[in-house]
Amino acid sequence: MDALHPFVKIRRDLHRIPELGFQEYKTQSYLLNYIESLAGEHVEIKKWRTGLFVKVKGTNPSKLIGYRADIDGLPIEEQTDYEFKSEHLGRMHACGHDLHMSIALGVMTSVVSNRLKDDVLFIFQPAEEGPGGALPMLQSEIMIEWKPDILFALHIAPEYEVGTIATKTGLLFANTSELYIDLKGKGGHAAYPHLTNDMIVAGCNLVTQLQSIISRNVNPLDSAVITIGKITGGTVQNIIAENARLEGTIRTLSEQSMVKVKKRIEELVNGIEIGYQCEAKIDYGAMYHQVYNESETTLEFMNFVREQPDVTLFECNEAMTGEDFGYMIKDIPGFMFWLGVKSDFGLHHSKLTPNEDAIPVAIELISNYLQFKGN
Ligand SMILES: CC(=O)N[C@@H](CCC[C@H](N)C(=O)O)C(=O)O
């Protein structure tokens, strides 16, 4: 039987211990443990909340190249058949951050043993799924001092075969905003609806109305999404619900559409308040800036990928996914790309099973890219 690739083993170790945003204590300690085993005078480690900055010094640096990997998991009960399944009840690495971390550790190992001329900053970022670690990390004293000259990141893509690298210049990921709507009416006996204001009925009606914003208020050529992923409300089956809460997310390709969608949400919620004689509160939670790939660095990377024997470049369209990495490359030139990991189940699914062959492929590609870019 073939021995397990060392970074596949690391991915599996990390897969067992998914933690939510800003609670990544075990993850941080696992990463630290590994990175300290590499450490020498050329490796400088700084902790930032539950994340890490690791600088691998070059031999004669003229720039700092940044590479970011996100580290948090999701509130999902895993349903894979893995023998290395999540050990944390109701938590899962269902967005591939376990692969993102193991690939970054593999690249770091290669850069430490094969130093570049330039410095490389590895950023292990907490809370990508929410409430967002990129912006506070970017504003931290550490990153102000260690501000990369260029910066990149990857995201696994279950829809592409292993060996596919997909990206484009310009807009890659949408603008996002979380959406929380609390409704408060008047509860009462299930048999006396005329004496109550039922927030289950109001909430369901609102969910349906929200869909009309996308179909009737947003230019069809400027896509947007409103997804309500969770509804809670009521107490038991024979009591009319006094409260309901809708939790969702808004995605838009343009920043103007985000403003417009929010304005329409507020108008419709206002209508619900009047129509159902209830009180409503809207909270937008975390918002992420779009991921916009800077032309020069992206084109250079795309040309580099085209020359590599084991990978194929695919020029993809933009996606409605969000990523707070968008904040990091708002002012620092850089890019993000998709890494093919073919899985029958997609991102945020309880049965996501990325093909681990993508791990060595990515480590080799990124290590070679860094040798090309940083020497
Ligand atoms: C790559 C990915 O799946 N990212 C998440 C980011 C979530 C941002 C925030 N919590 C929201 O829901 O708006 C995504 O769901 O796209």
Side-chain angles (χ1 to χ4, degrees), residues 12-24:
R12 294 184 179 189
D13 290 346
L14 289 164
H15 188 83
R16 292 180 204 269
I17 55 164
E19 296 164 295
L20 298 186
F22 291 126
Q23 296 168 26
E24 303 96 334

PDB file of all heavy atoms in Angstrom, residues 12-24:
ATOM      1  N   ARG A  12      -5.909  15.578   6.553  1.00  0.00           N
ATOM      2  CA  ARG A  12      -6.832  14.704   7.289  1.00  0.00           C
ATOM      3  C   ARG A  12      -6.834  15.047   8.776  1.00  0.00           C
ATOM      4  O   ARG A  12      -7.892  15.038   9.409  1.00  0.00           O
ATOM      5  CB  ARG A  12      -6.456  13.232   7.072  1.00  0.00           C
ATOM      6  CG  ARG A  12      -6.663  12.838   5.613  1.00  0.00           C
ATOM      7  CD  ARG A  12      -6.402  11.378   5.387  1.00  0.00           C
ATOM      8  NE  ARG A  12      -6.639  11.062   3.977  1.00  0.00           N
ATOM      9  CZ  ARG A  12      -6.673   9.853   3.486  1.00  0.00           C
ATOM     10  NH1 ARG A  12      -6.462   8.808   4.263  1.00  0.00           N
ATOM     11  NH2 ARG A  12      -6.911   9.654   2.206  1.00  0.00           N
ATOM     12  N   ASP A  13      -5.644  15.343   9.316  1.00  0.00           N
ATOM     13  CA  ASP A  13      -5.577  15.757  10.735  1.00  0.00           C
ATOM     14  C   ASP A  13      -6.433  17.012  10.943  1.00  0.00           C
ATOM     15  O   ASP A  13      -7.203  17.104  11.897  1.00  0.00           O
ATOM     16  CB  ASP A  13      -4.138  16.108  11.148  1.00  0.00           C
ATOM     17  CG  ASP A  13      -3.235  14.883  11.207  1.00  0.00           C
ATOM     18  OD1 ASP A  13      -3.757  13.750  11.190  1.00  0.00           O
ATOM     19  OD2 ASP A  13      -2.002  15.076  11.251  1.00  0.00           O
ATOM     20  N   LEU A  14      -6.277  17.970  10.042  1.00  0.00           N
ATOM     21  CA  LEU A  14      -7.017  19.240  10.188  1.00  0.00           C
ATOM     22  C   LEU A  14      -8.509  19.040   9.945  1.00  0.00           C
ATOM     23  O   LEU A  14      -9.345  19.722  10.549  1.00  0.00           O
ATOM     24  CB  LEU A  14      -6.455  20.293   9.223  1.00  0.00           C
ATOM     25  CG  LEU A  14      -5.058  20.809   9.603  1.00  0.00           C
ATOM     26  CD1 LEU A  14      -4.410  21.534   8.418  1.00  0.00           C
ATOM     27  CD2 LEU A  14      -5.141  21.752  10.809  1.00  0.00           C
ATOM     28  N   HIS A  15      -8.823  18.072   9.069  1.00  0.00           N
ATOM     29  CA  HIS A  15     -10.239  17.801   8.777  1.00  0.00           C
ATOM     30  C   HIS A  15     -10.981  17.335  10.034  1.00  0.00           C
ATOM     31  O   HIS A  15     -12.187  17.590  10.176  1.00  0.00           O
ATOM     32  CB  HIS A  15     -10.372  16.748   7.675  1.00  0.00           C
ATOM     33  CG  HIS A  15     -11.779  16.589   7.210  1.00  0.00           C
ATOM     34  ND1 HIS A  15     -12.353  17.424   6.278  1.00  0.00           N
ATOM     35  CD2 HIS A  15     -12.762  15.744   7.622  1.00  0.00           C
ATOM     36  CE1 HIS A  15     -13.618  17.083   6.109  1.00  0.00           C
ATOM     37  NE2 HIS A  15     -13.904  16.065   6.910  1.00  0.00           N
ATOM     38  N   ARG A  16     -10.256  16.679  10.943  1.00  0.00           N
ATOM     39  CA  ARG A  16     -10.900  16.162  12.163  1.00  0.00           C
ATOM     40  C   ARG A  16     -11.280  17.255  13.140  1.00  0.00           C
ATOM     41  O   ARG A  16     -12.076  17.039  14.036  1.00  0.00           O
ATOM     42  CB  ARG A  16      -9.936  15.224  12.914  1.00  0.00           C
ATOM     43  CG  ARG A  16      -9.634  13.931  12.213  1.00  0.00           C
ATOM     44  CD  ARG A  16      -8.660  13.149  13.099  1.00  0.00           C
ATOM     45  NE  ARG A  16      -7.881  12.208  12.330  1.00  0.00           N
ATOM     46  CZ  ARG A  16      -8.231  10.940  12.107  1.00  0.00           C
ATOM     47  NH1 ARG A  16      -9.335  10.465  12.625  1.00  0.00           N
ATOM     48  NH2 ARG A  16      -7.462  10.156  11.392  1.00  0.00           N
ATOM     49  N   ILE A  17     -10.659  18.444  13.019  1.00  0.00           N
ATOM     50  CA  ILE A  17     -10.820  19.446  14.090  1.00  0.00           C
ATOM     51  C   ILE A  17     -11.355  20.804  13.592  1.00  0.00           C
ATOM     52  O   ILE A  17     -10.809  21.855  13.930  1.00  0.00           O
ATOM     53  CB  ILE A  17      -9.486  19.641  14.862  1.00  0.00           C
ATOM     54  CG1 ILE A  17      -8.330  20.004  13.890  1.00  0.00           C
ATOM     55  CG2 ILE A  17      -9.140  18.409  15.672  1.00  0.00           C
ATOM     56  CD1 ILE A  17      -7.096  20.587  14.584  1.00  0.00           C
ATOM     57  N   PRO A  18     -12.441  20.790  12.804  1.00  0.00           N
ATOM     58  CA  PRO A  18     -12.949  22.079  12.292  1.00  0.00           C
ATOM     59  C   PRO A  18     -13.485  22.960  13.410  1.00  0.00           C
ATOM     60  O   PRO A  18     -14.146  22.459  14.330  1.00  0.00           O
ATOM     61  CB  PRO A  18     -14.093  21.643  11.365  1.00  0.00           C
ATOM     62  CG  PRO A  18     -14.531  20.326  11.883  1.00  0.00           C
ATOM     63  CD  PRO A  18     -13.314  19.658  12.449  1.00  0.00           C
ATOM     64  N   GLU A  19     -13.205  24.241  13.307  1.00  0.00           N
ATOM     65  CA  GLU A  19     -13.662  25.195  14.322  1.00  0.00           C
ATOM     66  C   GLU A  19     -14.228  26.423  13.626  1.00  0.00           C
ATOM     67  O   GLU A  19     -13.764  26.802  12.545  1.00  0.00           O
ATOM     68  CB  GLU A  19     -12.483  25.593  15.217  1.00  0.00           C
ATOM     69  CG  GLU A  19     -11.930  24.421  16.019  1.00  0.00           C
ATOM     70  CD  GLU A  19     -10.547  24.698  16.586  1.00  0.00           C
ATOM     71  OE1 GLU A  19      -9.598  24.864  15.792  1.00  0.00           O
ATOM     72  OE2 GLU A  19     -10.418  24.753  17.824  1.00  0.00           O
ATOM     73  N   LEU A  20     -15.202  27.048  14.261  1.00  0.00           N
ATOM     74  CA  LEU A  20     -15.833  28.230  13.649  1.00  0.00           C
ATOM     75  C   LEU A  20     -14.928  29.460  13.793  1.00  0.00           C
ATOM     76  O   LEU A  20     -13.961  29.446  14.553  1.00  0.00           O
ATOM     77  CB  LEU A  20     -17.176  28.507  14.319  1.00  0.00           C
ATOM     78  CG  LEU A  20     -18.236  27.410  14.196  1.00  0.00           C
ATOM     79  CD1 LEU A  20     -19.563  27.902  14.774  1.00  0.00           C
ATOM     80  CD2 LEU A  20     -18.437  26.975  12.738  1.00  0.00           C
ATOM     81  N   GLY A  21     -15.319  30.512  13.065  1.00  0.00           N
ATOM     82  CA  GLY A  21     -14.555  31.758  13.014  1.00  0.00           C
ATOM     83  C   GLY A  21     -14.173  32.304  14.384  1.00  0.00           C
ATOM     84  O   GLY A  21     -15.027  32.467  15.245  1.00  0.00           O
ATOM     85  N   PHE A  22     -12.908  32.607  14.539  1.00  0.00           N
ATOM     86  CA  PHE A  22     -12.310  33.148  15.761  1.00  0.00           C
ATOM     87  C   PHE A  22     -12.361  32.182  16.942  1.00  0.00           C
ATOM     88  O   PHE A  22     -12.154  32.575  18.076  1.00  0.00           O
ATOM     89  CB  PHE A  22     -12.914  34.507  16.127  1.00  0.00           C
ATOM     90  CG  PHE A  22     -12.530  35.592  15.149  1.00  0.00           C
ATOM     91  CD1 PHE A  22     -13.489  36.370  14.513  1.00  0.00           C
ATOM     92  CD2 PHE A  22     -11.193  35.841  14.848  1.00  0.00           C
ATOM     93  CE1 PHE A  22     -13.131  37.358  13.595  1.00  0.00           C
ATOM     94  CE2 PHE A  22     -10.812  36.824  13.934  1.00  0.00           C
ATOM     95  CZ  PHE A  22     -11.784  37.585  13.312  1.00  0.00           C
ATOM     96  N   GLN A  23     -12.649  30.893  16.632  1.00  0.00           N
ATOM     97  CA  GLN A  23     -12.538  29.866  17.690  1.00  0.00           C
ATOM     98  C   GLN A  23     -11.523  28.808  17.265  1.00  0.00           C
ATOM     99  O   GLN A  23     -11.541  27.686  17.764  1.00  0.00           O
ATOM    100  CB  GLN A  23     -13.898  29.198  17.910  1.00  0.00           C
ATOM    101  CG  GLN A  23     -14.965  30.140  18.427  1.00  0.00           C
ATOM    102  CD  GLN A  23     -16.359  29.526  18.348  1.00  0.00           C
ATOM    103  OE1 GLN A  23     -16.517  28.317  18.365  1.00  0.00           O
ATOM    104  NE2 GLN A  23     -17.368  30.375  18.264  1.00  0.00           N
ATOM    105  N   GLU A  24     -10.634  29.161  16.339  1.00  0.00           N
ATOM    106  CA  GLU A  24      -9.756  28.146  15.736  1.00  0.00           C
ATOM    107  C   GLU A  24      -8.530  27.883  16.605  1.00  0.00           C
ATOM    108  O   GLU A  24      -7.383  27.964  16.144  1.00  0.00           O
ATOM    109  CB  GLU A  24      -9.306  28.599  14.327  1.00  0.00           C
ATOM    110  CG  GLU A  24     -10.429  28.901  13.342  1.00  0.00           C
ATOM    111  CD  GLU A  24     -10.777  30.385  13.290  1.00  0.00           C
ATOM    112  OE1 GLU A  24     -10.540  31.092  14.292  1.00  0.00           O
ATOM    113  OE2 GLU A  24     -11.276  30.842  12.250  1.00  0.00           O
TER     114      GLU A  24
END
